[in-house]
Amino acid sequence: MTAPLSTSSESSTPSTQPAVAPALPVTQSLRLERDGGVARVTLNRPDVRNAFNDTVIAELTATFDALGRDDSLRAIILAAEGKAFCAGADLNWMKAMSGYSWDDNHADAARLAQMLWTIYRCPVPVIARVQGDVYAGGVGLVAACDLVVAVDSAGFCLSEAKLGLLPATIGPYVVRALGEQASRRYFVTAERFSAAQAHRLGLVHELATADSLDETVHSLTAALLANGPMAVRACKRLVQDVAHAPIDAALRDDTARRIADIRASAEGRDGVQSFLNKTKPGWLAG
């Protein structure tokens, strides 16, 4: 069972945790819950297939910014209500944008770009629980997450070209998650592709039936919680920082410094000693 997300800290490593977690924004379009070190952010506009508008974008940005500053948090589940996970842009929002100037369009797109970056760069691992179809900007939202579990009946579509547009703001995240060759195809054809195809291409990590979706998400969450809290955050950042970097002297030195930092940390020492002594580390001892 989950409870409403509170601002109280549940510290797993008291020496490094703040007394009070950052305050969370009041939201209209999201439902926020917490169970121990796991937060759940649910898109809650099923009547419009959880489509984006300026309110949703602002609320997601503020929520993930606050969650990312909560050192007691171990995992975030991004979910959605209704039949669709996210249908991209809200139609009323699109109507309003049709009259925007270039400057207005640029400012609007920059806010979406900041939302995606805030989720992608959130220090806490984010698991996307995809229970239904994903279109356009929604694909970018999924691609910005660290782990993706999708129901096997879900469909995906980068539909922007059908409207004479392009998936520019979401492009960096989708290309990284889907791959360059697949992105070439689905950007220009705007074809719908299945969850099974998304899984084969790497956008989706795990497929599940509707009945086993939550069990699969829970299994991945449990795997995260079994690991060192700061190590998990450092691992997430490591992948993002080295994925496209040249393996030069600077990168070699940077990675050596990272492992030295964590080996010398209290968590690193505790983890290694617990392994050698066959005892539970501090983050599991409670």
Side-chain angles (χ1 to χ4, degrees):
M1 296 293 292
T2 56
L5 194 64
S6 69
T7 58
S8 62
S9 174
E10 299 177 27
S11 175
S12 57
T13 51
S15 62
T16 60
Q17 305 306 322
V20 178
L24 289 162
V26 176
T27 61
Q28 302 173 21
S29 57
L30 309 175
R31 188 173 69 249
L32 309 178
E33 301 163 294
R34 180 155 182 172
D35 185 0
V38 180
R40 188 181 181 103
V41 179
T42 303
L43 302 171
N44 196 25
R45 303 177 76 224
D47 53 322
V48 293
R49 297 167 63 83
N50 297 306
F52 292 141
N53 61 17
D54 50 0
T55 298
V56 175
I57 290 170
E59 290 182 354
L60 280 170
T61 304
T63 296
F64 274 88
D65 177 68
L67 292 174
R69 289 183 285 111
D70 183 349
D71 290 338
S72 70
L73 202 57
R74 306 286 304 280
I76 302 170
I77 298 169
L78 179 60
E81 285 290 347
K83 294 182 178 180
F85 180 80
C86 180
D90 180 281
L91 291 178
N92 290 324
W93 187 43
M94 291 178 68
K95 288 177 184 177
M97 285 190 292
S98 66
Y100 281 6
S101 66
W102 187 95
D103 288 336
D104 291 336
N105 271 296
H106 180 255
D108 184 80
R111 286 189 286 271
L112 176 60
Q114 183 61 37
M115 180 203 78
L116 293 167
W117 175 253
T118 303
I119 295 171
Y120 177 76
R121 211 58 166 165
C122 179
V124 186
V126 182
I127 303 173
R129 176 192 180 275
V130 180
Q131 91 297 354
D133 288 349
V134 190
Y135 284 83
V139 180
L141 185 61
V142 168
C145 296
D146 302 294
L147 298 92
V148 180
V149 181
V151 69
D152 53 13
S153 59
F156 294 77
C157 185
L158 291 151
S159 55
E160 287 85 351
K162 289 183 182 293
L163 306 180
L165 303 175
L166 79 165
T169 311
I170 67 172
Y173 308 96
V174 176
V175 171
R176 280 169 170 77
L178 195 60
E180 182 179 350
Q181 280 298 90
S183 296
R184 288 174 190 264
R185 172 178 176 173
Y186 292 114
F187 278 23
V188 301
T189 65
E191 297 169 276
R192 178 183 166 97
F193 55 100
S194 67
Q197 180 71 345
H199 181 246
R200 284 192 292 272
L201 294 169
L203 174 63
V204 170
H205 295 97
E206 296 286 343
L207 289 177
T209 64
D211 291 338
S212 65
L213 181 62
D214 286 322
E215 179 183 349
T216 306
V217 170
H218 177 76
S219 177
L220 286 175
T221 305
L224 290 173
L225 297 180
N227 301 328
M230 302 313 295
V232 167
R233 291 176 177 231
C235 285
K236 171 173 177 171
R237 186 67 181 261
L238 175 67
V239 172
Q240 293 177 348
D241 289 351
V242 308
H244 303 283
I247 307 176
D248 56 15
L251 182 64
R252 297 195 300 273
D253 182 65
D254 175 67
T255 55
R257 288 176 180 275
R258 293 186 195 221
I259 187 62
D261 286 345
I262 205 157
R263 281 177 181 169
S265 71
E267 180 179 293
R269 292 181 188 277
D270 177 31
V272 172
Q273 287 301 313
S274 297
F275 173 76
L276 295 174
N277 297 329
K278 297 186 169 129
T279 59
K280 286 186 178 180
W283 62 86
L284 295 178

